[in-house]
Amino acid sequence: MSSPSQNTLKIGIIGFGPFAQFLAKTMVKQGHSIRATSRSDYTDLCTHLGILFFRDMIAFLESNNDVILLCTSILSVSQVIESISFHALKQPVLFADVLSVKEYPRDLLLQVVPQDSDVLCTHPMFGPESGKDGWKDLTFMFDRVRIRNEVTCSSFLQIFASEGCRMMEMSCEEHDKLAAKSQFLTHTIGRVLSEVEVEPTSIDTKGFQKLVQVKESATRDTFDLFSGLFIYNRFARQQVGNSL
């Protein structure tokens, strides 16, 4: 259940793939009211989870959400944001995202989100595999890009803080700089190892076992994610250029 200092929120999720489902389960457990919309029909799954699913975007936007959370892929986020009919909003809303790049969605949102609504950019640095046993000590990055309603923003951040996340406030620019040297580099090495078909052998060293783990971790994610990390993080492109 939610803690005394945490207001119950009405959270609308756009894009209800595996990562959104992973986050939503904890949000529901904490007592928040979750609604979702997506290109695919998740009506049955949402019913099972206690979540209201909307096939129609306008009806979703008119459902008085406190927070609208973008859980789309990096490659599709521009198209998704363009599809949002902001005039259908009945009240100011906190728009947040969970993409693995931060400057790109920040700039898109600031161009179109109504001035009376807020923008919070976040990146949970974990997923269904690393967070399957709980979120304690896992890093949650956030940037209060444009916040007027501190109560709603703080209540949303409390979802992660109350689960024991390591809360890391930093600018979108700083996030992308660091991610280019860590997350993107890890994915790049993992993809290279996959291309040369690295597999465990009977005489593996500890170092080689770690390489296999990097490959397996990187290839569990989609190639679209890897492409998005490269195309929409300017520091990742610089990282590749500096290595050539």
Side-chain angles (χ1 to χ4, degrees):
M1 299 296 292
S2 58
S3 66
S5 61
Q6 181 180 1
N7 293 329
T8 299
L9 296 172
K10 297 185 289 290
I11 302 172
I13 299 176
I14 300 179
F16 203 64
F19 188 66
Q21 295 164 26
F22 164 70
L23 295 178
K25 289 174 184 176
T26 294
M27 294 175 179
V28 169
K29 180 190 72 175
Q30 292 183 358
H32 300 288
S33 174
I34 309 301
R35 306 89 183 274
T37 188
S38 200
R39 287 181 300 178
S40 301
D41 188 353
Y42 291 100
T43 301
D44 291 343
L45 174 61
C46 284
T47 299
H48 175 72
L49 295 175
I51 294 169
L52 186 60
F53 186 78
F54 290 85
R55 292 291 290 160
D56 180 67
M57 175 67 84
I58 297 295
F60 169 83
L61 294 171
E62 291 178 340
S63 63
N64 292 318
N65 298 294
D66 299 309
V67 180
I68 290 181
L69 183 62
L70 296 171
C71 291
T72 67
S73 70
I74 299 170
L75 298 184
S76 67
V77 68
S78 176
Q79 182 180 359
V80 170
I81 290 175
E82 288 175 1
S83 74
I84 298 174
S85 299
F86 291 96
H87 64 82
L89 296 172
K90 293 185 175 180
Q91 62 185 31
V93 174
L94 171 63
F95 282 86
D97 82 285
V98 292
L99 274 63
S100 297
V101 297
K102 294 275 55 85
E103 287 189 319
Y104 177 55
R106 176 201 64 191
D107 293 345
L108 290 174
L109 289 169
L110 286 177
Q111 289 173 17
V112 295
V113 169
Q115 285 296 318
D116 62 352
S117 288
D118 291 348
V119 176
L120 176 71
C121 288
T122 82
H123 184 193
M125 306 295 293
F126 52 91
E129 184 62 28
S130 56
K132 63 184 178 182
D133 297 320
W135 301 355
K136 183 174 173 53
D137 296 328
L138 299 178
T139 301
F140 181 86
M141 169 271 166
F142 64 98
D143 184 3
R144 302 169 184 260
V145 176
R146 188 176 76 200
I147 301 299
R148 295 181 181 85
N149 188 330
E150 287 288 348
V151 173
T152 297
C153 180
S154 295
S155 294
F156 180 76
L157 293 174
Q158 185 63 20
I159 292 171
F160 300 90
S162 65
E163 295 294 322
C165 287
R166 177 172 168 261
M167 305 298 286
M168 181 68 67
E169 185 168 8
M170 67 173 63
S171 70
C172 293
E173 178 182 10
E174 183 64 17
H175 168 278
D176 284 2
K177 282 181 181 178
L178 296 176
K181 296 178 180 178
S182 57
Q183 186 184 25
F184 172 70
L185 190 59
T186 302
H187 275 265
T188 302
I189 293 169
R191 291 288 169 180
V192 170
L193 293 171
S194 177
E195 287 298 314
V196 298
E197 299 182 346
V198 167
E199 297 292 344
T201 74
S202 59
I203 57 170
D204 291 352
T205 62
K206 292 293 185 183
F208 185 79
Q209 289 173 0
K210 290 179 180 179
L211 286 179
V212 172
Q213 290 172 3
V214 168
K215 183 208 76 169
E216 292 175 346
S217 175
T219 53
R220 269 196 297 268
D221 290 316
T222 65
F223 192 77
D224 278 358
L225 173 60
F226 176 60
S227 299
L229 291 173
F230 175 68
I231 297 170
Y232 294 110
N233 183 343
R234 60 192 173 102
F235 300 104
R237 298 196 300 275
Q238 292 173 15
Q239 185 80 15
V240 172
N242 293 338
S243 302
L244 297 177

